[in-house]
């Protein structure tokens, strides 16, 4: 028997969709789909690692329900989020007879979710999209918000769309077999939610470092549901990132994207770069007199206890990182906008930051 | 002095946008843009033929207004609507520092509009898009509705999005220098509007074949404005093609797309294939007892007087066309839906058409 023990509803202007969270529920994917809409055909997009572990479970469920489907695999890793792979998937789906009623199922981490979501958003001008995130990062981040996309050389997520899933299935069991490094990377985004939106949740994390580090399922289910709910509240207020409200989710991400681009998406997992990026942003806030050093220290302590990287690596030049930051999608009319904390649990958008201050914040994070 | 003599407002759920129609108004593009929003940077996407004629006029206007811009060219022709060209444009725009406030200006026919619109819809998850359609087809079709996209091998517009422009500038003067074949191809879509929505407009066209054939500017301005208004009324009711209302615009297009795919987009201009496709659809309606032969005859006579092709070419096998039609984007749960006339000025959606009837309609159109 499977066990759904948390449910978050993401409420959007045009429609809402459910996130079901539980143990072993990936085995019931066909039932979850049929609760959402009539499904006769599906394209399951996955990466080679994830497919090895979970494709057979999904396969059995869809087969038993009489849903025609194909499994399309891409190599694991950030490099798969390319225009070439998007085109490969579009062509395969066309050859397999995918039509407007075909559901794209993303079975994998953030890379698979973003790529599959972009393909779903653009194939036949948009077809239904269902997510089964298999990493902690994807569960707390990609499953809410509808941001899908691919990378350009040197610019992460530079091409994409807003495309909301019809539903999300989060199986907590997959976290117990997740490589420890990937698990820890996801925790960085979890810490981010506490910093930007909820001081109580930040304290909850500080108080439960041990069960988090041993991956206690009930604590994980609670954490994932809390993050999804926090993000859903923000996304509901600003679905297409127009008012600025949604930008709070980018805390640490301007520095993070530059670090990832400078290392060609090869040295750090996204969450690891987020951890470093948050500390850079926090030190920038210190320089601007917005917070005291103890707010940065609280984050650094928690990230250290979760065994995440906290330092900008020595081999990256600060000037190079700054130049990459200027290519960020958040730039408008040539100006970069930073997301900076005012205390634990609250951040603000800040324009007109001097490049010299950003540079100093990077230097202080080595 | 330039002269705006028609204005159509496309009213959408989220926002509306204006279509300005007049003589020589492309010279005032910067003023038209500034009436819409603050613009500091633009990417002008055009094809090599159009750029030769009009880029200097656009260049002068943007330069005088102090708008920083770059001209990005693609080869002329349907083959440019490729994933490879989309990726090339995304990369160039990134290198040129395009950000979320940069406006993509499509200067060209339908190919340029669809490709540039797709690039605008997906770059940084969507940036502003402005259209200057330079063919009759693009003026009466692509300037309203927000459908943007690229082709896959054997499947036209298979990848794309709904992305509405912030405004459209239609310069009637460009039609007087348009190659006659392209001009006539656009007239097929004009006839379509009469057939699907407005018997009076169909009669208006029958009564003015001579000034149409001599490209009389005032008649052209009236025709373009009428087509834009008719399409805007349909799109307002069904912006994302969800209710079926918008499908009426696809009259003749299921057959048309198959003819274009079978000839690898090389033998016919889109409008020419639409002319043939409408007659196939009309004969299918005859076979199903929905109209008498005189309704087909009225269309064939008008299309002949406008010197458009009206016959399915002998070298295309009917069975091959039928197979290509099954790959159409309008297929849902494996079923094709046809748009068929009930009289001049009205069409209906018809499911459950026997393939043998579609085959016979193709045969009757040779």
């Amino acid at each position: 028997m499977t066990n759904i023990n948390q449910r978050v509803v993401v409420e959007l202007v045009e429609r809402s969709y459910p996130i079901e969270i539980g143990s072993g529920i990936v085995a019931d994917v066909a039932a979850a789909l049929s609760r959402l809409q009539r499904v006769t055909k599906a394209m399951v997009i996955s990466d080679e690692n994830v497919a090895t572990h979970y494709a057979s479970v999904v396969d059995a469920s869809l087969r038993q329900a009489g849903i025609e489907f194909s499994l399309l695999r891409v190599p694991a890793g950030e490099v798969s989020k390319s225009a070439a792979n998007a085109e490969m998937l579009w062509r395969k789906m066309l050859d397999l007879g995918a039509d407007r009623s075909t559901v794209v199922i993303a079975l994998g981490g953030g890379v698979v979710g973003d790529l599959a979501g972009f393909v779903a958003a653009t194939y036949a001008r948009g077809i239904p999209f269902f997510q089964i995130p298999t990493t902690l990062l994807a569960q707390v981040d990609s499953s809410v918000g509808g941001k899908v996309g691919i990378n350009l050389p040197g610019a992460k997520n530079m091409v994409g769309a807003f495309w909301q899933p019809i539903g999300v299935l989060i199986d907590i069991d997959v976290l117990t077999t997740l490589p420890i490094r990937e698990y820890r990377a996801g925790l960085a985004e979890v810490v981010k939610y506490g910093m930007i939106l909820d001081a109580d949740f930040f304290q909850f994390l500080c108080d439960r470092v041990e069960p988090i580090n041993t991956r206690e399922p009930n604590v994980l289910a609670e954490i994932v549901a809390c993050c999804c709910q926090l993000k859903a509240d923000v996304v509901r207020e600003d679905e297409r990132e127009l008012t600025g409200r949604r930008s709070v989710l980018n805390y640490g991400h301007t520095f993070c994207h530059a670090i990832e681009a400078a290392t060609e998406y090869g040295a750090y997992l996204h969450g690891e770069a987020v951890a470093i990026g948050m500390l850079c942003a926090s030190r920038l806030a210190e320089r601007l007199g917005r917070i005291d050093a103890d707010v940065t220290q609280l984050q650094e302590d928690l990230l250290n206890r979760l065994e995440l990287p906290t330092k900008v690596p020595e081999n990256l030049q600060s000037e190079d990182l700054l130049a990459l930051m200027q290519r960020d999608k958040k730039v408008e009319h040539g100006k970069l906008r930073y997301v900076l904390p005012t205390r634990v649990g609250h951040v603000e958008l800040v324009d007109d930051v001097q490049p010299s201050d950003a540079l100093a914040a990077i230097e202080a994070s080595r």
Side-chain angles (χ1 to χ4, degrees), chain A:
Chain A
M1 279 302 294
T2 58
N3 174 19
I4 298 172
N5 56 22
Q6 300 270 359
R7 187 182 164 93
V8 174
V9 175
V10 183
E11 287 168 20
L12 301 171
V13 176
E14 287 184 26
R15 56 178 183 77
S16 301
Y17 68 87
I19 301 176
E20 295 182 353
I21 303 164
S23 287
I25 60 176
V26 70
D28 279 348
V29 55
L33 279 173
S34 69
R35 284 193 287 274
L36 298 167
Q37 65 177 58
R38 181 185 166 214
V39 178
T40 55
K41 192 166 186 165
M43 299 283 146
V44 180
I45 298 180
S46 192
D47 73 34
E48 281 155 8
N49 294 349
V50 173
T52 306
H53 286 96
Y54 303 106
S56 62
V57 180
V58 172
D59 184 307
S61 175
L62 296 179
R63 198 172 297 271
Q64 195 173 14
I67 297 172
E68 184 194 339
F69 69 97
S70 302
L71 175 64
L72 306 177
R73 297 166 191 235
V74 295
E78 188 76 33
V79 289
S80 277
K81 265 173 67 176
S82 64
N85 270 339
E87 188 180 2
M88 179 273 290
L89 291 169
W90 289 328
R91 288 183 183 219
K92 280 201 179 167
M93 285 167 57
L94 179 64
D95 289 341
L96 291 164
D99 67 30
R100 284 185 179 170
S101 60
T102 300
V103 176
V104 170
I105 299 176
L107 173 67
V111 167
V112 163
D114 287 2
L115 173 65
F118 180 64
V119 167
T122 50
Y123 186 85
R125 293 197 196 91
I127 64 176
F129 171 47
F130 185 83
Q131 286 180 281
I132 309 176
T134 60
T135 66
L136 178 58
L137 179 62
Q139 290 178 349
V140 300
D141 185 29
S142 318
S143 56
V144 186
K147 283 190 180 181
V148 297
I150 55 177
N151 302 327
L152 291 183
K156 197 171 154 76
N157 297 325
M158 200 65 212
V159 169
F162 289 94
W163 195 244
Q164 305 293 344
I166 58 171
V168 181
L169 204 61
I170 295 183
D171 196 328
I172 290 297
D173 290 2
V174 306
L175 299 182
T176 58
T177 57
L178 196 67
I180 186 67
R181 190 178 159 201
E182 279 205 55
Y183 173 69
R184 295 199 181 284
L187 292 173
E189 290 276 357
V190 171
V191 171
K192 185 195 77 176
Y193 287 109
M195 268 306 294
I196 64 176
L197 290 166
D198 192 336
D200 290 343
F201 181 57
F202 189 90
Q203 190 57 50
F204 173 98
L205 297 174
C206 294
D207 295 343
R208 282 168 189 77
V209 166
E210 199 182 330
I212 291 172
N213 281 337
T214 57
R215 309 195 219 184
E216 210 279 294
N218 285 333
V219 172
L220 289 182
E222 198 168 348
I223 286 172
V224 169
C226 185
C227 291
C228 287
Q229 188 63 62
L230 286 169
K231 184 163 183 183
D233 292 343
V234 171
V235 169
R236 184 184 55 224
E237 291 174 36
D238 182 19
E239 194 175 327
R240 294 188 68 97
E241 211 159 45
L242 296 173
T243 68
R245 175 60 183 149
R246 186 163 171 163
S247 305
V248 301
L249 298 169
N250 292 321
Y251 176 52
H253 279 62
T254 300
F255 293 96
C256 157
H257 289 160
I259 292 169
E260 288 183 288
T263 52
E264 293 176 337
Y265 305 102
Y268 292 99
L269 296 177
H270 175 64
E272 292 171 339
V274 168
I276 302 169
M278 287 193 292
L279 293 172
C280 291
S282 193
R283 293 201 176 90
L284 177 54
E286 276 183 49
R287 279 192 71 83
L288 301 178
R290 307 181 73 88
I291 53 168
D292 292 329
D294 61 339
V295 175
T296 308
Q297 198 58 54
L298 279 169
Q299 295 166 77
E300 190 166 9
D301 289 347
L302 179 55
L303 294 170
N304 273 325
R305 292 172 70 202
L306 298 172
E307 297 178 33
L308 279 156
T310 55
K311 306 286 185 199
V312 174
E314 285 305 325
N315 63 330
L316 300 186
Q317 299 300 312
S318 301
E319 291 76 10
D320 295 345
L321 293 176
L322 200 66
L324 286 165
M325 285 157 65
Q326 285 296 335
R327 288 159 66 117
D328 196 276
K329 277 190 310 307
K330 287 180 287 300
V331 170
E332 286 188 31
H333 296 292
K335 285 201 174 174
L336 197 51
R337 170 174 285 186
Y338 288 87
V339 182
L340 301 181
T342 54
R343 60 177 186 272
V344 172
H346 189 73
V347 290
E348 289 179 355
L349 304 188
V350 182
D351 294 318
D352 297 321
V353 170
Q354 293 302 314
S356 57
D357 285 321
L359 215 55
I362 296 171
E363 285 299 318
S365 304
R366 291 185 185 277

